[in-house]
Amino acid sequence: MKTQMTISKESLESQATRYLRERILDGTLALGEKLVESALSKQLDLSRSTVRMALNSLVHEGLVVQKPYAGWQVVDIDESDLWELYHLRLALEGEAAAMAAEWASAEQKAGLMALFQSYQALCREHPEDNRAISAMDWQLHQRIVAICGSERMQTLYKQILYPLQAYIGISHQDYDLSQSANSHEALVTAICAGDASTAAEEARANITPFSRLRAAR
């Protein structure tokens, strides 16, 4: 059965990459699931070379792996992977928050505050919509890294973000996220106030503890 993608000005490769990324992050394509080029090519009505390029892009994002003689598959996350991703995220987000507090422009900080207020409104008006709340949570964290001033850090963060996002999206579906926006208030306030040390501390405090991540496996 062919799947229709929304046509846009993006290249076919970019559209295919985005489509497959979304299917992995929302759990439609499960962690560890085998991906067959020919089947995806037929499903998406795209050439195998386009599908192959999309899969290669997802390899660089940490969402897909290519194994010799076995082909492509969605990344699978074991306990050692989880430990590594957690500690890398802890380090990167703490530093990014401190850098954002010091270096982000007034306009960037105002944009961060506006996003946070939208996050609060979502939690207040739709407290049961875990998928939308989770997406907004990731968006806020990505925005902080985006305004920290380091393109290299943004690149590294994506390689951590996407596998964790896939894992947490599947394993934390039943969590109560209705108060998650409020737990970020001190973080956003510190960044906007230029308080780097508090921003770093609050960023680390807002990351789900490793023990809780492991317990959800």
Side-chain angles (χ1 to χ4, degrees):
M1 178 180 177
K2 292 182 179 180
T3 301
Q4 294 296 317
M5 294 188 301
T6 302
I7 301 301
S8 71
K9 292 183 179 179
E10 289 181 281
S11 69
L12 290 175
E13 178 192 343
S14 294
Q15 290 182 68
T17 301
R18 176 169 49 81
Y19 177 83
L20 292 171
R21 182 193 302 119
E22 290 171 355
R23 299 294 78 76
I24 294 171
L25 296 180
D26 68 15
T28 302
L29 293 171
L31 297 178
E33 182 171 338
K34 187 173 182 179
L35 302 171
V36 180
E37 278 183 25
S38 58
L40 289 172
S41 175
K42 184 176 181 180
Q43 178 187 354
L44 301 178
D45 196 20
L46 295 172
S47 69
R48 287 187 63 170
S49 63
T50 299
V51 169
R52 189 177 305 118
M53 288 189 292
L55 291 170
N56 269 313
S57 294
L58 293 173
V59 168
H60 292 301
E61 293 180 1
L63 283 175
V64 169
V65 293
Q66 185 179 24
K67 296 188 174 183
Y69 311 110
W72 312 88
Q73 71 175 56
V74 179
V75 66
D76 200 5
I77 299 175
D78 61 22
E79 188 167 320
S80 63
D81 294 324
L82 197 59
W83 185 93
E84 183 179 66
L85 290 168
Y86 166 77
H87 284 90
L88 286 170
R89 184 186 180 197
L90 199 68
L92 281 177
E93 287 203 22
E95 289 303 313
M99 291 164 65
E102 290 186 357
W103 298 343
S105 67
E107 183 179 359
Q108 288 173 324
K109 290 178 178 180
L112 177 65
M113 180 59 74
L115 177 61
F116 171 65
Q117 290 170 345
S118 296
Y119 187 8
Q120 286 182 307
L122 175 64
C123 289
R124 185 170 57 250
E125 296 165 12
H126 304 283
E128 305 301 323
D129 193 345
N130 275 12
R131 177 165 292 184
I133 292 172
S134 181
M136 185 71 83
D137 176 83
W138 287 112
Q139 189 178 346
L140 183 74
H141 286 271
Q142 286 180 281
R143 179 69 64 86
I144 291 169
V145 176
I147 66 174
C148 80
S150 170
E151 291 187 10
R152 185 174 287 109
M153 188 169 286
Q154 290 181 58
T155 299
L156 290 171
Y157 186 64
K158 285 181 181 179
Q159 294 174 345
I160 298 167
L161 170 74
Y162 288 136
L164 270 176
Q165 192 174 354
Y167 173 80
I168 291 175
I170 292 169
S171 63
H172 291 53
Q173 291 177 352
D174 298 328
Y175 279 30
D176 179 5
L177 302 179
S178 61
Q179 298 302 312
S180 66
N182 291 336
S183 71
H184 292 75
E185 185 169 8
L187 167 60
V188 174
T189 299
I191 291 173
C192 292
D195 184 346
S197 61
T198 299
E201 182 180 343
E202 289 296 330
R204 289 189 287 265
N206 266 284
I207 295 173
T208 304
F210 176 68
S211 58
R212 190 175 174 190
L213 287 172
R214 182 172 56 184
R217 283 185 59 81

